[in-house]
Amino acid sequence: MTPIDFFLPELDDDQRWSTWPETAHTLDRGPQPFPAWVVQHDGAIDTELGILKTGKEADAFLLERGLPQELCTGAPGEVTLLVAKRYRDPDQVTFHRSSAYTEGRRTKDSREARAIAKGTAFGRKAAAGQWARTEFDALGRLWEAGIPVPYPVQIQGTELLMEFIGTDDERGAVAAPRLQETRPSADEAERWARHLREAVAEMARMGLVHGDLSPYNVLIDTRQTEPDPVIIDVPQVIDLIANPHGREFLERDCRTLCTWLRAHGAPESATDPEDWMP
């Protein structure tokens, strides 16, 4: 019998028991070995702390996952902040991203593919699940390759839990700013350009393209002494080889970031879109 068996707190309306035990299948959890900060205790509690961002197809919430305070010892893996990205109820949104994103993407379940094409209620639900699963799987691959992305903790249905990129101190939790919200020095802009060029090139070597890479889909990790970029929002990730539009999407990603970085002080030597292409 564990200590949690002796202490079963009453949950508030904004709380639930941790869903970690419900994702026991290897494919529903992030790459192993799990980082030390991942809370794996069955008796942990998920507490909603507010919304971080709303989108057309999904909303991102701040979540605290942790053991009841009475059971905490200060060890890693007892309490952490997570981002819960929840794809919208299929009855409230139509997943209308251009089919150009998904060309060349294999769908294992032919029944789901037909339902998605027809736009049935089942098809809309399946589409939401596919976007969530695609993002979760892509984050896992990118994280394992050393590309700066949030660590994907788990997926359950249309809810994806991932690492919170930001700070948490006496001021409370503060999400890292998006690249679009920053005003870097020339040296910072050049450093960020070189980091992002390396990330884009490594993705391309893996046969992947972000497909929607812009200053709004890059965070600047304020946890670091010298904050550097972290790439987010990858549900539309594109197969560079199988997708006939793959090269076009890659060129657009490179051009978009290079234009912003050059406008904010990065030199031409670091922001030539042609140099970013593999």
Side-chain angles (χ1 to χ4, degrees):
M1 188 173 287
T2 64
I4 195 67
D5 294 318
F6 295 102
F7 185 83
L8 291 175
E10 205 171 301
L11 301 185
D12 294 332
D13 291 342
D14 60 352
Q15 294 180 315
R16 69 185 184 190
W17 292 108
S18 168
T19 54
W20 176 261
E22 300 170 37
T23 59
H25 195 288
T26 303
L27 295 179
D28 296 336
R29 292 179 176 177
Q32 297 188 39
F34 304 126
W37 54 263
V38 172
V39 178
Q40 302 179 53
H41 298 276
D42 289 356
I45 295 170
D46 293 344
T47 303
E48 298 274 347
L49 298 179
I51 192 163
L52 292 171
K53 177 179 178 288
T54 60
K56 293 179 181 178
E57 296 152 359
D59 300 318
F61 298 83
L62 183 61
L63 193 77
E64 180 187 78
R65 171 168 288 175
L67 286 175
Q69 188 172 1
E70 292 81 355
L71 299 177
C72 288
T73 65
E78 291 183 341
V79 181
T80 194
L81 291 177
L82 300 172
V83 173
K85 185 170 183 178
R86 295 167 183 155
Y87 282 81
R88 299 261 185 87
D89 186 314
D91 292 331
Q92 299 175 4
V93 63
T94 299
F95 286 81
H96 56 273
R97 286 183 188 266
S98 169
S99 60
Y101 285 104
T102 56
E103 285 190 50
R105 188 182 293 178
R106 296 177 181 177
T107 302
K108 296 180 181 178
D109 191 322
S110 58
R111 175 171 171 258
E112 282 191 357
R114 290 194 299 270
I116 292 172
K118 292 179 180 178
T120 64
F122 171 74
R124 292 195 300 273
K125 184 176 181 179
Q130 281 193 8
W131 286 110
R133 171 60 68 176
T134 298
E135 180 160 29
F136 179 76
D137 290 346
L139 285 174
R141 289 184 62 189
L142 297 174
W143 191 86
E144 286 188 301
I147 294 170
V149 295
Y151 176 79
V153 175
Q154 67 175 71
I155 185 171
Q156 185 183 37
T158 57
E159 180 186 74
L160 165 59
L161 297 187
M162 68 188 89
E163 177 184 6
F164 171 68
I165 307 296
T167 56
D168 184 23
D169 51 30
E170 65 277 358
R171 299 172 300 164
V174 180
R178 295 173 184 274
L179 180 61
Q180 179 67 31
E181 300 167 341
T182 66
R183 293 295 178 268
S185 66
D187 287 345
E188 285 177 320
E190 180 175 7
R191 188 176 79 249
W192 295 349
R194 299 194 186 284
H195 276 279
L196 286 166
R197 179 173 64 184
E198 182 179 340
V200 168
E202 182 58 30
M203 287 181 69
R205 285 191 286 270
M206 296 170 64
L208 299 176
V209 180
H210 185 288
D212 193 24
L213 195 54
S214 76
Y216 293 95
N217 287 335
V218 175
L219 301 180
I220 299 302
D221 192 349
T222 47
R223 299 172 299 180
Q224 302 172 343
T225 304
E226 289 190 332
D228 280 323
V230 175
I231 294 171
I232 61 170
D233 290 340
V234 296
Q236 70 293 313
V237 68
I238 291 160
D239 188 315
L240 179 59
I241 306 302
N243 190 313
H245 308 285
R247 189 84 181 171
E248 296 172 31
F249 279 112
L250 178 58
E251 289 175 351
R252 188 181 71 179
D253 283 355
C254 295
R255 188 169 57 250
T256 299
L257 282 183
C258 285
T259 298
W260 191 93
L261 289 161
R262 185 178 299 181
H264 288 79
E268 292 187 15
S269 60
T271 55
D272 183 345
E274 294 298 321
D275 289 344
W276 284 43
M277 299 288 292

